[in-house]
Amino acid sequence: MRRALSLLVAAATLLTACTAVGPRSLRYGRGTYNAAIQQTNSEQLLLNLVRLRYRDAPLFLEVTSISSSLSVELGAGLGGTIAPGGNSSVAPGTAVTYIDRPTITYAPLQGSRFGKQFLSPVELGDILLLYHAGWAIDRIFKVFVQRLGPMQNAPRASGPTPLEAPEFQAFFTATELLRSLWADGLVDLSYLPSVAGNALSLTLVSRTDSTERIARLCALFGLPGPASTITLTDAPRPGEPNAVLLVPRSLLGGMYYVSHGVEVPGEDYAIGRVPITRDKDGELFDWARLTRALMRVHYGRREPAGAYVSVYYRGLWFWIADNDLDSKSTFSFITQVLEMQSGELKGAGPVLTLPVAAQ
């Protein structure tokens, strides 16, 4: 009787466990994997920004697939006590163990796919998509545009840190004017139907309080006078009215640009680990003049508490503060562009598959 009873209890427990294991694995597994991928992607991006600051080669390792196998192991037995006077007792016992065995596949981003994703200039259509996604127009232009008409936005900062101070003041003045007009709802960016994908139409709404700003902006663009519609193109045609050259950066160029917001210790400058940029007077150039409102990455000897994202590299901790909304916005912005440029994983080359046993 006792054996039969224990078998019945074990069978009922196993049936219950098998019925619940699917929904339970989805409820707890999906959120956990989602959070882990999001966190490690952020850490990988920050790590590569720090690498670029030190002129080290970046490397992206993508999670291409996760296959999780959840199994149930059931144990059953009898237990009891033996006491004098006939007070002995026997009771069946069961134990259910859930075992998650994930298989995670990684693919290093390299070859032609790396070139297409990171080295190709960002298309004007993607700039338009980012604009309509709600990103501030000055953030888009500062990170992914290196020339606008006659104005330079530190084009050599699209690569390793240059030794000479960049030219950027006029470009920043123009983007600040654009932002003020954008904040007032007086700017619109759209495709040009005739040359879709190669040119954008920048519409400026003239109002009593915007006339002066528009005139200053058009003068910075090199236009002969104020205009309500400006053509932004990567290949302006001779004689085209109100056409302004727009030269976009690549994704890697934008990452190099914001990587100048990574702070490094003075000793790394002294021993030549990080290049020193000087102005025309020979004074040390402060890259925070470009990146202050875009990106600021702190460093320290100890792991920071409560950071938005942090990584350990070259014996130091680097992190973005959780209350630095500008840096967090730029970081999320680059993450979104990284996803937009990623394309498909077909033909990604060699992969690394790691079976992980967890009990």
Side-chain angles (χ1 to χ4, degrees), residues 2 4 29 34 45-46 89 97 114 117 147 167 206 221-222 270 295 336:
R2 290 172 181 169
N34 183 294
L45 177 56
L46 178 58
S89 62
T97 304
F114 178 86
Q117 181 173 347
R147 182 177 174 184
E167 178 186 341
S206 181
F221 281 152
M295 178 69 69
Q336 186 169 328

Side-chain angles (χ1 to χ4, degrees), residues 244-326:
V244 173
L245 175 65
L246 186 154
V247 180
R249 282 193 172 95
S250 64
L251 174 56
L252 186 61
M255 289 176 58
Y256 264 116
Y257 186 85
V258 300
S259 75
H260 294 100
V262 176
E263 299 173 350
V264 296
E267 57 263 31
D268 284 351
Y269 285 112
I271 64 178
R273 286 180 177 171
V274 180
I276 297 176
T277 304
R278 298 188 182 278
D279 60 22
K280 60 182 179 180
D281 297 322
E283 298 295 327
L284 185 67
F285 178 75
D286 183 10
W287 280 98
R289 293 172 60 187
L290 274 79
T291 61
R292 184 176 293 110
L294 291 173
M295 178 69 69
R296 184 181 182 187
V297 179
H298 306 268
Y299 73 90
R301 302 290 178 183
R302 297 182 179 180
E303 183 177 4
Y308 170 63
V309 59
S310 62
V311 293
Y312 188 73
Y313 188 67
R314 287 179 170 264
L316 295 170
W317 281 96
F318 294 88
W319 72 89
I320 294 175
D322 197 32
N323 61 353
D324 185 354
L325 299 182
D326 283 330

